[in-house]
Amino acid sequence: MPDERPAETADDTADESSGASTAVTGGPDPSTGVTHAPVPGPERAQRLQTASRRVAIASAELILIVIAVIIIGRVLGILWMVLLPVVLGLLFTTVLWPVTRFLRHHSWPPALAALVVLLLFLGAFGGIIAAIAPQVVGQVEEVADGVTQGLEQVQEYLAGPPFNIDDDQIGSAVDSVIDSVQNNAQNIAGYAVTTATTIGNLLINLVLALVLTFFFLKDGPKWVPWLAAQTGPQAAPHVAALSQKTWRTLSEFIRQQAIVGFVDAFFIGVGLLILGVPLVLPLAVLTFFGAFIPIIGAFVAGGFAVLIALVDSGLTTALIVLGIIIVVQQIEGNVLQPILQGRGLNLHAAVVILAVTAGASLAGIIGAFLAVPVAALIAVAYRYGRDVLDGNHPEVDEDGTRRQLAPDGAGTQLVREAAGEQRAD
């Protein structure tokens, strides 16, 4: 008999048959929804376990490295009073070594050459101080009078519109400041004692640095062979090569900053002299030494020059001095520094700023002064280690030789040998 069921009943039967077929073939079940997530593979759990293990190992290694860095930092902080004269002595030695080497090559005894060069250095430094001191003493009273006049002008300006602050209010503010100073007299005295102690420690470190400089100049060529001899024949070529690279980097930093400081001091000093600003020589010397603290030092030295020009000669002269400093700094930053850094430190300006900031926060002015050379030496060590890991043989010089230990009648010395022998080993 013919099928007399309604059409919709037949359709429902077809849908049920289709659903049954879909269920049989593994299709999605409409009652539970459809997900786009893939079906877990048979190796997912094993791979997740392996990845977790690697992350755990890497995390443990990172924690150990951080702990080691913290411990090393604490140890260096404890030994800072011992390390500071050594670092300063090395910096002084980079400046004085070329003259000492010249005298040694002309048959001067090492001790005599080191002593003469060190005395000449002290004499030159003392001569600079002797030349600056009379100008500072002679003109400081003039600058102080200018400061007094400037404060009076500020008081007159505050007394007029729009501030309309009368003398009684200004006097009350001054009395408040005086009372605050008196109430904190004990703390101020403590700060003064701390400052005096710091200056005393700095003088002691300076004397120790000069003594170490004498020994570095006298026995300089012996330090690298001695250091390499403590490590053994495998590490000796790397110790010698890394020592030479760090020494060249340190010398290059001093040479670069001396050139930059001289250029800044010369042109800024000429501008101050033309404008009739007082304390030209002290400001020029401050600018020269400020160049050894890159970026920050030039900013501070320029600020002093602008302030003195403002106090002594007024706003117009101060703005002109500011313009001169900006022009000189732009020439230095865009022309001189790229030329010098192209063959020198190879440090980005951001790294320099961060290094100076970190050094100043950790050790004050000395830290700011030493921050950039320390960062440059860390960069040299990093690049050397990277080249070793890449198999580039950074211990091999441009002439294809490397340094290796060899005994002689007086002990151990470094000799050059063909690099092929190292690669054959």
Side-chain angles (χ1 to χ4, degrees):
M1 296 180 64
D3 191 0
E4 297 180 354
R5 289 180 299 174
E8 59 272 17
T9 305
D11 292 339
D12 292 340
T13 304
D15 291 339
E16 291 176 1
S17 300
S18 175
S21 176
T22 302
V24 172
T25 58
D29 185 358
S31 63
T32 59
V34 180
T35 178
H36 296 286
V39 177
E43 298 180 356
R44 174 183 290 187
Q46 182 179 359
R47 290 175 179 175
L48 178 60
Q49 184 180 8
T50 303
S52 300
R53 185 181 296 112
R54 290 179 178 178
V55 171
I57 293 174
S59 301
E61 291 175 346
L62 180 60
I63 292 173
L64 291 176
I65 292 173
V66 171
I67 293 174
V69 170
I70 293 175
I71 293 174
I72 292 173
R74 292 292 181 88
V75 172
L76 292 179
I78 295 172
L79 299 177
W80 175 244
M81 298 304 295
V82 178
L83 295 175
L84 180 58
V86 176
V87 176
L88 292 177
L90 288 174
L91 290 175
F92 293 155
T93 304
T94 60
V95 177
L96 304 179
W97 175 246
V99 181
T100 306
R101 180 177 55 194
F102 174 81
L103 296 179
R104 290 167 67 114
H105 288 171
H106 287 75
S107 302
W108 282 53
L112 180 60
L115 182 61
V116 170
V117 172
L118 188 59
L119 292 177
L120 289 176
F121 171 71
L122 293 176
F125 186 77
I128 293 175
I129 299 299
I132 292 177
Q135 292 195 24
V136 174
V137 173
Q139 296 181 352
V140 70
E141 185 175 350
E142 176 184 349
V143 174
D145 293 338
V147 172
T148 302
Q149 295 175 4
L151 292 176
E152 292 176 354
Q153 293 176 1
V154 171
Q155 183 175 355
E156 294 176 358
Y157 177 74
L158 292 176
F163 300 100
N164 296 320
I165 301 176
D166 56 22
D167 294 339
D168 294 337
Q169 292 175 315
I170 296 177
S172 300
V174 172
D175 293 338
S176 176
V177 173
I178 294 174
D179 293 339
S180 177
V181 171
Q182 290 176 348
N183 294 331
N184 292 278
Q186 186 175 1
N187 294 333
I188 295 174
Y191 295 150
V193 172
T194 303
T195 303
T197 303
T198 303
I199 294 175
N201 292 333
L202 183 61
L203 292 176
I204 293 175
N205 288 326
L206 184 60
V207 172
L208 291 175
L210 292 174
V211 173
L212 291 174
T213 301
F214 169 77
F215 287 109
F216 291 157
L217 294 173
K218 173 180 172 291
D219 301 323
K222 299 179 182 178
W223 290 106
V224 175
W226 176 85
L227 187 61
Q230 312 308 310
T231 60
Q234 293 294 329
H238 298 288
V239 171
L242 187 57
S243 300
Q244 294 296 329
K245 289 179 183 294
T246 54
W247 175 258
R248 285 196 296 266
T249 300
L250 200 59
S251 302
E252 188 66 24
F253 167 76
I254 297 296
R255 189 179 303 111
Q256 287 180 12
Q257 299 310 123
I259 295 173
V260 170
F262 176 78
V263 171
D264 290 349
F266 177 78
F267 286 105
I268 293 177
V270 170
L272 296 176
L273 184 63
I274 293 174
L275 294 172
V277 178
L279 301 176
V280 174
L281 185 58
L283 289 174
V285 173
L286 179 63
T287 302
F288 174 79
F289 286 107
F292 288 90
I293 305 177
I295 301 175
I296 306 298
F299 175 78
V300 173
F304 275 113
V306 173
L307 178 61
I308 292 179
L310 176 63
V311 169
D312 180 78
S313 305
L315 181 61
T316 302
T317 303
L319 291 176
I320 296 175
V321 171
L322 179 61
I324 292 173
I325 293 173
I326 291 175
V327 170
V328 172
Q329 293 297 326
Q330 289 298 314
I331 294 175
E332 171 207 320
N334 297 318
V335 178
L336 191 58
Q337 285 282 15
I339 294 175
L340 295 175
Q341 289 185 352
R343 56 184 179 84
L345 302 182
N346 193 21
L347 289 178
H348 193 274
V351 176
V352 173
I353 294 175
L354 291 176
V356 172
T357 303
S361 63
L362 292 175
I365 296 177
I366 296 296
F369 172 68
L370 298 176
V372 176
V374 169
L377 296 184
I378 293 175
V380 169
Y382 166 75
R383 295 180 190 124
Y384 190 92
R386 180 190 61 192
D387 291 341
V388 170
L389 294 176
D390 292 339
N392 294 329
H393 297 283
E395 78 280 5
V396 179
D397 292 336
E398 295 179 356
D399 59 358
T401 61
R402 61 165 191 157
R403 293 174 179 83
Q404 184 56 280
L405 294 173
D408 63 0
T412 305
Q413 64 177 351
L414 287 171
V415 298
R416 290 184 176 274
E417 64 179 20
E421 300 178 11
Q422 163 71 7
R423 298 178 183 180
D425 294 340

